[in-house]
Amino acid sequence: MSLPVVVACDKFKGTFSAAEVCAAIARGLRAGGREAVELPVADGGEGTLEVLVGALGGEVRTAPATDALGRPIEGRWALLADGRAVVEVAEASGLARLAEDERDPWAASTYGTGQLIAAAAAEAGEVIVAAGGSATTDGGAGALAALEEAGARPRLVVACDVRTEWQDAARVYGPQKGADPATVARLERRLEELADAAPKDPRGVPMTGCAGGLGGGLWAHLGAKLVSGAALVLDAIGFDAAMRGARFVVCGEGKLDEQTLAGKAAGEVATRCRQGGVACHAVVGVNALDPFRARVLDLQSVIEARTIPELEAAGRALAER
């Protein structure tokens, strides 16, 4: 009996969910005569909640919250079958909730994320905070205020999609949240002041800069554990066991670039395949990875695909290899 192909792809941001990408590639593999196992993955950014609920079982719930600009929303969180909860920062405090002309990194707050964490903590012993996709650079001040108001001090694990340190958060991610150079400088000063006032100094600690310093704020004030979101998800869904039983693995994401090696799910999948001696192919929307970094990942091939038919065609092409 031939070994199956494991399809372990992340979302194509703004286009297809991880489940949709995996399903399309798997259809192509099966059409080409290969057995395929669909294993959608995430890195702590948008889609982490769906991936964990899909793999581990659980229930998606809602709670009143506010978006990054303070407007009322109904935000989702999940209670997993194992008793843990999942909150995505992007759900309440996400950049995707704002129109481009609404982006205001100085005013944007994580207060709504704190409201969702408080709701989840009322029913779960541990809350996983998926920290990607935020519109904020408030050092977690908003979330901490909401948790204090709710009287909640939950046990937190922050699933980080980047390894950025606190002091670099504004410079690295502020511009994509709408900050001009002057605003970046103001945000840096605010983060410095917050670090000076924190019970533990988040500066210089990897992953404290995720979600505009939310990870560092929760770490410094509440003792949150900061972990790689991609590693957390892959461990939770049993990726290593599936990989060891695979003919080869297909990873994927919307854009393959230098960020892939800095905590993204596709990079973690490729790295584990390299370490496990299992061939890994990538199907991506755009390949912008330079040859040196491509060699680091040791990908056997990279196929660009931007539509469902192209994803299916990529699966068929890989089935013939």
Side-chain angles (χ1 to χ4, degrees):
M1 184 177 68
S2 63
L3 296 174
V5 176
V6 170
V7 185
C9 295
D10 198 354
K11 65 188 176 299
F12 281 25
K13 192 170 184 178
T15 309
F16 305 118
S17 70
E20 289 171 330
V21 174
C22 288
I25 295 171
R27 284 195 298 271
L29 285 161
R30 292 173 187 134
R34 296 278 189 182
E35 181 183 348
V37 175
E38 297 168 35
L39 206 62
V41 301
D43 58 14
E46 303 98 317
T48 299
L49 183 151
E50 287 89 350
V51 167
L52 290 176
V53 170
L56 303 179
E59 179 183 344
V60 178
R61 302 186 179 184
T62 62
T66 54
D67 71 7
L69 299 181
R71 298 173 296 201
I73 62 165
E74 196 72 13
R76 300 178 309 151
W77 63 277
L79 184 63
L80 299 177
D82 63 11
R84 294 179 295 171
V86 183
V87 170
E88 285 188 4
V89 172
E91 183 66 22
S93 310
L95 197 61
R97 281 197 175 273
L98 307 181
E100 191 164 349
D101 62 359
E102 292 179 324
R103 296 180 182 182
D104 187 342
W106 182 257
S109 170
T110 53
Y111 187 87
T113 293
Q115 292 174 299
L116 293 182
I117 293 172
E123 303 201 36
E126 179 177 283
V127 181
I128 299 169
V129 181
S134 80
T136 58
T137 314
D138 72 345
L144 290 167
L147 289 167
E148 184 176 0
E149 288 176 18
R153 289 189 64 88
R155 187 165 73 248
L156 300 174
V157 174
V158 182
C160 305
D161 64 338
V162 297
R163 294 189 57 80
T164 308
E165 297 174 0
W166 173 277
Q167 68 278 6
D168 297 324
R171 174 181 57 80
V172 175
Y173 298 109
Q176 71 188 38
K177 301 176 184 185
D180 58 22
T183 304
V184 167
R186 290 178 70 203
L187 293 169
E188 288 178 329
R189 288 194 295 272
R190 182 164 72 182
L191 289 174
E192 285 290 307
E193 292 167 0
L194 290 169
D196 288 339
K200 290 195 298 183
D201 191 342
R203 288 167 290 202
V205 179
M207 297 187 279
T208 50
C210 70
L214 171 69
L218 297 179
W219 174 85
H221 290 267
L222 298 178
K225 184 178 180 181
L226 306 182
V227 301
S228 160
L232 180 148
V233 170
L234 292 184
D235 289 345
I237 66 178
F239 172 79
D240 288 353
M243 173 194 68
R244 286 191 290 268
R247 175 68 182 85
F248 60 86
V249 172
V250 182
C251 69
E253 61 182 348
K255 186 176 184 180
L256 193 70
D257 58 17
E258 67 276 2
Q259 290 297 315
T260 303
L261 284 80
K264 300 302 183 183
E268 182 72 13
V269 168
T271 297
R272 293 190 182 201
C273 287
R274 186 189 70 231
Q275 293 170 344
V278 176
C280 185
H281 300 262
V283 177
V284 301
V286 176
N287 179 14
L289 199 63
D290 64 64
F292 174 77
R293 289 180 173 85
R295 286 195 297 274
V296 171
L297 290 178
D298 196 28
L299 294 168
Q300 303 303 298
S301 70
V302 179
I303 301 173
E304 291 188 338
R306 297 178 180 84
T307 66
I308 293 297
E310 288 177 356
L311 290 168
E312 293 174 351
R316 287 194 299 273
L318 289 170
E320 297 170 0
R321 300 196 175 196

